[in-house]
Structures are given as structure tokens and as C-alpha cells.
Amino acid sequence: MTTPPALLIAGHGTRDDAGAEAFRAFVRELGRRRPGLPVAGGFIELSPPPLGEAVAELVGRGVRRFAAVPLMLVSAGHAKGDIPAALAREKERHPGVSYTYGRPLGPHPALLRVLERRLAEAVDPSWDPAEVTVLLVGRGSTDPDANAEVFKAARLLWEGRGYAGVETAFVSLAKPDVPSGLDRCARLGARRIVVLPYFLFTGILPDRVRTQTEEWAAAHPDAEVLSADVIGPEPELLDLVLERYEEAVKGDLRMNCDSCVYRIALPGFEDKVGLPQQPHFHPDDDGHHHHGHGHTHSHSHAH
């Protein structure tokens, strides 16, 4: 019987201790769900353990093949470049190791169901959805393709659910920011607004979303403004990660590269086409002195 590949979870990283621990607890829960499957997880930056340490842990357990799943909602720079480059570096560090690379998580119907649940938890049950405008707030990226994915999630969340509208904003790196997004909702006539963070776990950026929402609400007493919670370690999220793992194990996965900033000359981003992708060195990675070769972004994003 062939031993199935291990599961490696790649996270972004956060300076928020609770957010980092939520990731680590999520990885442990995945291991409990699939007791026969070696599971490890690490971060690209900011939080321990680094991704390289997670790979070393798997190799130490005798693993020679693994499937890496980015625990990220959109395919931005980390999913497109940093993680593949880091994995290529780890392959050099551990001769004989092979891997496949899975897709980011969203937007997926299972996550949309969780978002809908978070909205239901936040609002007064007597509110008519037709009177509620949702502001979905993503992390924000310098990659226009990644930002467009958040707009896609907003549209999918709006379809068929009866909300007055689902608008989009970002907490960093992209416009509109949270106050501007709330201003837009108000100009569209919204009087009941729910701000919904498009984040997996708690952290500094989701906290910033809540703070900015509260500040805007205090300055606009005519509007009722509520904050919903992040997605969190829900059963749907656990199932989805394992679904992405199975996809990576069974097939030759291809990311949608039609709008990839590293492949297509998008207006204002022409200088990014063909840029080599370098590993994102983690400050806690004791192998940082191993200078891996630059990894050129490929159309397949797979190895």
C-alpha cells in the first residue's frame, strides 16, 4: 500500500499571538481529524514556527512526499511567489523530498456559508436582509488579481441571499479603505450596515477593521453599524483544507493565471512581468544562511 503524502499547511503569519496560536491549533485539529496523516504547519513571516521548520519536522518523521496547502483566502504574492519559492528552497535543503502545491481556499461555497452565518450572528434577528448592506473587508494586496478575488467573493455572497448589497473594502495596501467603503454604503442609502472581515483568524488587521468601523460609526450616528466576526476554525474550513489537500494529491492543479500580474502586463504593473520569485526569509528560520536560487514564477504555480 502506498503511503499518502503528508499535509503541509502554509500560513501568512501575524504579530498577534492569539492569531498565531489559532493557526497552530487549527493545524493540530487537522492532525486529529486525519490521525494516519502526518500534518505540520508553518508561517512565511512574523510568527513561529517558520515554514522550513515545519518541513524539517515532516522530514524528521520520515516523510518524503507532501502536499502543501496555503491557508490563505486569495492568491496574492505569498501564494503565488513566496510559498512556491520557499518550497523550492526546502527541496534543495532536503534532497529526495518531493511535493505538490494546492490552491488557496476562497471563494468557496463552504466559506460563503460561514460568512452568511457570521452575518446572522451579528445582526438583530428582526432585521430584514433587504435592509442590510454588507461591507466585506479583505486584507488588501498590491496584486490587482488578488483584490479582484475579494470582489468576486462579495458578489457570490450577495447572490440569492437577499441583502440590499455587498460592498467591498480593504484594510491595507488597496483602495477603498474601510472608512471609504462605509462612506460608499451610506451614499447608496444604507442605514443598516454590517462590516464583515474576510479573514480566517483573529489578528492585528481584523482588530484594525473593527476599530475603524467603531470610529466611523461614532461619527455617523444616523447609521446602524455592526461588526461581524472572522471566519474562524469552523468545520467547513477544516473540510475545505482537506479537500484542497486531496486535489493536490490527485491531480495536476493549475491556478487561474488569466490575470496574474507576474505573467500578464496589467496597466500600471508592467514591471512585474517575469520577475523571479525569491523565498521570503522567516526571522526564526535557522537555515536563513542557505541562499536558495531565485524561483521564477511559472504559469502552473505547481511543482
Side-chain angles (χ1 to χ4, degrees):
M1 181 178 176
T2 304
T3 304
L7 169 58
L8 175 70
I9 305 298
H12 179 282
T14 174
R15 291 186 177 87
D16 181 79
D17 291 340
E21 179 53 32
F23 171 91
R24 293 188 287 261
F26 185 81
V27 172
R28 292 193 294 269
E29 182 59 29
L30 280 168
R32 283 191 288 269
R33 278 201 164 208
R34 294 285 291 270
L37 178 66
V39 179
F43 295 101
I44 290 295
E45 61 180 355
L46 302 176
S47 318
L51 194 63
E53 186 177 304
V55 173
E57 176 192 334
L58 289 174
V59 172
R61 294 162 66 181
V63 167
R64 289 297 174 265
R65 296 187 304 138
F66 63 87
V69 175
L71 199 69
M72 299 172 184
L73 289 167
V74 302
S75 185
H78 284 296
K80 288 180 178 179
D82 293 333
I83 296 173
L87 293 175
R89 179 187 63 193
E90 295 308 314
K91 190 174 181 180
E92 290 184 358
R93 287 182 179 177
H94 304 283
V97 166
S98 63
Y99 62 89
T100 55
Y101 184 40
R103 291 192 290 157
L105 303 176
H108 188 280
L111 295 181
L112 296 173
R113 288 195 296 271
V114 178
L115 291 173
E116 186 176 15
R117 193 156 69 238
R118 293 290 177 258
L119 289 172
E121 293 165 354
V123 304
D124 186 317
S126 67
W127 284 12
D128 181 352
E131 298 176 351
V132 175
T133 298
V134 178
L135 182 64
L136 185 71
V137 181
R139 175 183 294 273
S141 172
T142 55
D143 185 335
D145 187 39
N147 295 330
E149 288 188 35
V150 181
F151 276 81
K152 181 177 180 178
R155 179 68 194 194
L156 289 170
L157 183 63
W158 179 80
E159 291 279 357
R161 289 179 173 85
Y163 300 118
V166 180
E167 297 297 317
T168 309
F170 301 96
V171 72
S172 66
L173 299 176
K175 296 180 179 180
D177 59 15
V178 175
S180 298
L182 287 164
D183 287 342
R184 175 175 170 80
C185 292
R187 290 194 191 100
L188 291 171
R191 289 295 172 263
R192 287 176 169 172
I193 305 169
V194 182
V195 176
L196 177 62
Y198 194 45
F199 287 83
L200 292 175
F201 303 125
T202 187
I204 290 174
L205 293 182
D207 288 347
R208 187 180 301 166
V209 173
R210 186 174 289 266
T211 298
Q212 291 178 354
T213 299
E214 292 171 352
E215 290 172 351
W216 189 92
H220 298 80
D222 291 343
E224 295 182 82
V225 185
L226 301 173
S227 291
D229 286 332
V230 295
I231 291 170
E234 293 294 284
E236 291 95 336
L237 183 58
L238 290 157
D239 290 342
L240 177 54
V241 170
L242 291 172
E243 180 181 322
R244 290 288 188 254
Y245 163 78
E246 296 292 346
E247 287 177 354
V249 169
K250 292 176 181 176
D252 180 15
L253 288 178
R254 303 282 169 170
M255 288 186 183
N256 181 351
C257 292
D258 292 341
S259 303
C260 177
V261 75
Y262 298 109
R263 186 170 183 269
I264 305 298
L266 299 179
F269 297 87
E270 293 87 353
D271 60 328
K272 290 185 176 290
V273 175
L275 278 183
Q277 300 299 293
Q278 302 289 349
H280 200 126
F281 289 110
H282 193 293
D284 294 326
D285 186 346
D286 60 7
H288 68 275
H289 56 280
H290 295 272
H291 292 291
H293 300 297
H295 171 70
T296 300
H297 178 91
S298 67
H299 184 215
S300 69
H301 304 264
H303 301 268

